[in-house]
Amino acid sequence: MASNRGVVYVEQGKVEVRSIDYPKLINPRGRTANHGVILKVLTTNICGSDQHMVRGRTTAPAGLVLGHEITGEVIEAGKDVEQMAVGDIVSVPFNVACGRCRLCKERQTGVCLTVNESRPGGAYGYVDMGGWIGGQAEYVMVPYADFNLLKFPDRAQAIEKIRDLTCLSDILPTGYHGAVTAGVGPGSTVYVAGAGPVGLAAAASARLLGAAVVIVGDVNPARLQHAKSVGFEIADLSTDTPLAEQIAAILGVPEVDSAIDAVGFEARGHGHEGAQHEAPATVLNSLMEVTRAAGKIGIPGLYVTDDPGGVDKAAKTGSLSIRLGLGWAKSHSFMTGQTPVIQYNRALMQAILWERIKIADIVGVKLISLDEAPAGYAQFDAGAPVKFVIDPHGQLSH
């Protein structure tokens, strides 16, 4: 029997590379999935969402195979697959979606109604998202292949641009979704909370959409330095200068047209004291403060319903002290939820292939081997200003 290895969540703060089952065309409920394919994984990325689980901030069970950002080569196709063939190089949206339910037909693939028995929406290698095996592995099964997979038009070109194209499975569409739902357009002034990979992808997306000025805020000096080096204005939230004042120093006014939360529920406070402590509502409240009246706030940052490590009883159930009255008074629009990747990935692929966006340079893609994944998790958790991309078979250049 063919072998397989993958990155497995062991316990809080620990992942290991272990032998795992070679994938079969079977779904988590034990039913045959002839609409699926088996992929040889070419690249699979470490995501900030994975870190939430590894830090023990979710109810993820030990033994979970991680990984929802997958790019691969089709090596086996089920008998019902018509549009994908062995040898195709494809991007896998992190959303598992059937393509058949009401919401999939509306392209709201982040909340597919059939792939998760517990609630709407499925994803690979993630807690409470349907039991789909993760793709931080050598091989993985992808269901509903004709609907889910984005085929790259040229194999050689795909390999040449793999560092950029690997970002199509999640972070680039997620950042773009944040910018679109924040109403970014030509001439917009934009504030992005968070200088991690998704925040930088959101900033790059805002620039692609024509924003006049993009400001990225964070408490991590290394990440801020990287954001500045790739052309964005920055706000250092580890200082005691209020965010509104930092924005005013750049724009001349203390507000922006559009704001994006790329931090989520593990946010920290602002200021040299506040930045040392978790304050999960900080980002959302600050965005309402600095977004102009009738402005929009996109929230691709993750918020959970169960957080065992929450700072208080309310936070443990995802209940935050949000100043909704402020947002209501300013007529803000808010957009939350998982990104429906299929809405954006084809257009963003074209932007990459025609070099309209160099996302790998912006987010700091760094290729590592599968065996280096545990070290990659540790470095990412420590705030390294890079996007770790795993090359499971060691076929790509480091």
Side-chain angles (χ1 to χ4, degrees):
M1 176 173 290
S3 62
N4 192 19
R5 295 193 305 150
V7 180
V8 176
Y9 171 62
V10 179
E11 60 186 15
Q12 183 176 348
K14 184 177 182 180
V15 299
E16 290 181 351
V17 178
R18 294 180 175 178
S19 294
I20 61 174
D21 291 338
Y22 187 84
K24 299 178 181 179
L25 295 177
I26 298 175
N27 72 17
R29 303 174 197 175
R31 297 178 58 184
T32 299
N34 287 320
H35 45 68
V37 299
I38 306 297
L39 295 184
K40 176 183 178 181
V41 178
L42 299 180
T43 57
T44 175
N45 314 335
I46 297 175
C47 180
S49 297
D50 297 323
Q51 291 285 18
H52 295 310
M53 292 186 289
V54 175
R55 293 187 190 116
R57 300 301 297 270
T58 72
T59 55
L64 179 72
V65 181
L66 298 166
H68 56 271
E69 301 189 19
I70 308 163
T71 304
E73 177 183 357
V74 178
I75 59 172
E76 180 184 343
K79 64 180 182 180
D80 294 335
V81 176
E82 298 180 353
Q83 298 176 27
M84 301 293 157
V86 170
D88 287 345
I89 306 295
V90 296
S91 178
V92 185
F94 77 88
N95 320 110
V96 182
C98 71
R100 305 169 181 180
C101 70
R102 171 184 174 176
L103 293 180
C104 281
K105 289 180 178 180
E106 294 174 357
R107 295 208 305 168
Q108 296 295 338
T109 52
V111 280
C112 172
L113 298 173
T114 70
V115 294
N116 185 349
E117 292 183 310
S118 301
R119 65 186 191 189
Y124 305 90
Y126 210 84
V127 59
D128 297 331
M129 295 302 286
W132 300 92
I133 302 300
Q136 286 176 13
E138 294 172 326
Y139 303 93
V140 68
M141 194 278 281
V142 174
Y144 305 105
D146 286 336
F147 180 71
N148 283 306
L149 295 180
L150 174 66
K151 178 183 174 181
F152 298 138
D154 182 86
R155 180 187 180 92
Q157 184 186 40
I159 298 300
E160 178 188 354
K161 293 186 176 293
I162 196 71
R163 294 172 66 255
D164 295 281
L165 294 172
T166 192
C167 297
L168 286 173
S169 57
D170 183 356
I171 63 162
L172 181 53
T174 295
Y176 191 82
H177 182 62
V180 167
T181 56
V184 177
S188 297
T189 57
V190 183
Y191 174 67
V192 180
V198 170
L200 292 172
S205 297
R207 196 156 63 186
L208 184 66
L209 288 165
V213 183
V214 182
I215 304 167
V216 179
D218 207 300
V219 299
N220 182 314
R223 287 185 168 180
L224 286 174
Q225 182 179 8
H226 177 73
K228 188 172 184 178
S229 74
V230 293
F232 303 115
E233 301 291 337
I234 60 171
D236 187 349
L237 304 177
S238 69
T239 73
D240 290 331
T241 303
L243 174 59
E245 289 186 19
Q246 295 191 55
I247 289 174
I250 297 168
L251 301 179
V253 293
E255 291 184 326
V256 294
D257 298 316
S258 304
I260 302 166
D261 174 4
V263 178
F265 73 105
E266 287 194 64
R268 292 186 174 273
H270 295 174
H272 76 279
E273 288 291 337
Q276 308 303 314
H277 306 285
E278 194 168 301
T282 297
V283 169
L284 293 173
N285 287 331
S286 67
L287 296 192
M288 286 185 278
E289 179 187 352
V290 303
T291 302
R292 66 169 173 82
K296 295 182 178 181
I297 299 173
I299 312 174
L302 176 65
Y303 289 86
V304 296
T305 54
D306 293 289
D307 174 12
V311 294
D312 53 38
K313 183 177 180 181
K316 291 181 188 296
T317 59
S319 298
L320 309 181
S321 298
I322 298 171
R323 293 187 65 194
L324 186 59
L326 175 60
W328 189 94
K330 296 177 75 173
S331 294
H332 285 157
S333 299
F334 301 83
M335 174 63 78
T336 68
Q338 304 235 18
T339 298
V341 171
I342 282 177
Q343 289 193 26
Y344 309 113
N345 62 352
R346 185 173 298 276
L348 291 170
M349 174 187 72
Q350 292 290 84
I352 288 171
L353 295 179
W354 289 96
E355 298 190 350
R356 296 292 295 162
I357 185 170
K358 295 186 177 181
I359 190 63
D361 292 340
I362 292 170
V363 302
V365 162
K366 180 179 180 181
L367 287 171
I368 61 175
S369 69
L370 187 63
D371 288 321
E372 292 173 312
Y377 268 92
Q379 292 174 51
F380 188 28
D381 190 44
V386 295
K387 174 69 171 177
F388 287 105
V389 173
I390 300 169
D391 170 12
H393 298 274
Q395 296 180 316
L396 306 172
S397 171
H398 283 221

